[in-house]
Amino acid sequence: GQNIDQPTEMTATEGAIVQINCTYQTSGFNGLFWYQQHAGEAPTFLSYNVLDGLEEKGRFSSFLSRSKGYSYLLLKELQMKDSASYLCAVRWGGGGNKLTFGTGTQLKVEL
Amino acid sequence: DAGITQSPRHKVTETGTPVTLRCHQTENHRYMYWYRQDPGHGLRLIHYSYGVKDTDKGEVSDGYSVSRSKTEDFLLTLESATSSQTSVYFCAISQPGLAGNNEQFFGPGTRLTVL
């Protein structure tokens, strides 16, 4: 089976940097995704890692260590609009491009 | 934005009644998915489809059925709704490929309340 853990809530200050961690145990690992979800809205794709290392995309970066079953999402220069839930999801083998999601980390950005 | 719509967007129904939710896409993506999202559980896969008339069960399929008669439409049916099926339902699509993310794109969601 698949098990994904991420913190439930985090609070950070506008302009700061925040790191949201995700650990997973899964068979047939085939990629890790991060999604952003604002309250009352659909999840939107942020980043994807399948190989170890850091992927950078503007203010957002995502890191993966497959040997440790660990990923993090790094958000820089935080803005109030970054207040949202961040979902870690693992793609695993078996076809169908299926994902298993963590329960999400609710990030609150304060002044 | 990927062309995905869900209907209805909101529905209130009574226990024991059948309910059908529709997902429609204009992207011609092969894979389609139905999820439910509940506090404390995150997104959980109900059913998914590999293609027309080709579906399979996900993590929480009991009490749900699906059908896909056309590439663009994926229907989720609650045969006899129960209060435990009160949730927000999301449809998603993806397209298999030789390389790349093949990320899933999500529809706007349907909020279902079963009284």
Side-chain angles (χ1 to χ4, degrees):
Chain A
Q2 288 73 35
N3 187 44
I4 301 173
D5 291 311
Q6 49 182 135
T8 303
E9 296 178 340
M10 298 183 71
T11 301
T13 304
E14 189 179 36
I17 300 173
V18 70
Q19 178 175 313
I20 303 174
N21 295 324
C22 172
T23 58
Y24 63 90
Q25 298 91 38
T26 185
S27 56
F29 175 84
N30 191 22
L32 189 141
F33 295 78
W34 285 96
Y35 282 82
Q36 180 190 60
Q37 186 177 25
H38 286 99
E41 298 182 6
T44 55
F45 170 74
L46 283 179
S47 69
Y48 168 73
N49 296 71
V50 68
L51 299 176
D52 292 351
L54 189 69
E55 294 284 340
E56 297 186 80
K57 188 186 293 186
R59 294 190 299 115
F60 294 76
S61 302
S62 57
F63 172 83
L64 175 67
S65 169
R66 289 172 296 171
S67 63
K68 295 182 179 179
Y70 169 68
S71 174
Y72 67 73
L73 179 69
L74 195 70
L75 291 75
K76 304 175 184 176
E77 302 171 11
L78 280 173
Q79 303 174 10
M80 298 298 289
K81 68 179 183 179
D82 296 328
S83 292
S85 183
Y86 292 85
L87 314 179
C88 173
V90 172
R91 181 168 63 196
W92 44 282
N97 195 31
K98 297 186 295 292
L99 301 178
T100 297
F101 283 83
T103 54
T105 298
Q106 186 66 45
L107 174 66
K108 181 179 180 181
V109 180
E110 300 179 329
L111 292 172
Chain B
D1 291 342
I4 312 170
T5 57
Q6 293 184 229
S7 58
R9 294 292 314 278
H10 299 87
K11 186 172 182 65
V12 179
T13 191
E14 295 187 348
T15 297
T17 60
V19 176
T20 295
L21 308 183
R22 179 184 185 231
C23 177
H24 179 77
Q25 59 144 330
T26 58
E27 304 296 321
N28 200 35
H29 280 22
R30 178 180 169 189
Y31 296 156
M32 298 186 75
Y33 314 82
W34 276 108
Y35 292 89
R36 60 178 290 174
Q37 187 172 39
D38 306 287
H41 289 279
L43 283 159
R44 292 181 291 174
L45 184 64
I46 304 171
H47 282 279
Y48 60 100
S49 171
Y50 291 101
V52 173
K53 297 183 179 179
D54 193 358
T55 65
D56 206 348
K57 296 179 180 179
E59 178 187 0
V60 289
S61 60
D62 287 349
Y64 302 94
S65 63
V66 290
S67 66
R68 191 165 177 204
S69 59
K70 298 184 292 184
T71 298
E72 57 266 34
D73 289 327
F74 193 32
L75 304 180
L76 176 71
T77 297
L78 290 66
E79 303 290 348
S80 178
T82 68
S83 58
S84 65
Q85 293 175 311
T86 292
S87 186
V88 179
Y89 291 85
F90 285 101
C91 173
I93 65 174
S94 72
Q95 181 69 350
L98 295 177
N101 303 342
N102 303 328
E103 68 266 31
Q104 293 185 14
F105 299 95
F106 284 82
T110 294
R111 184 172 294 275
L112 176 67
T113 301
V114 183
L115 301 176

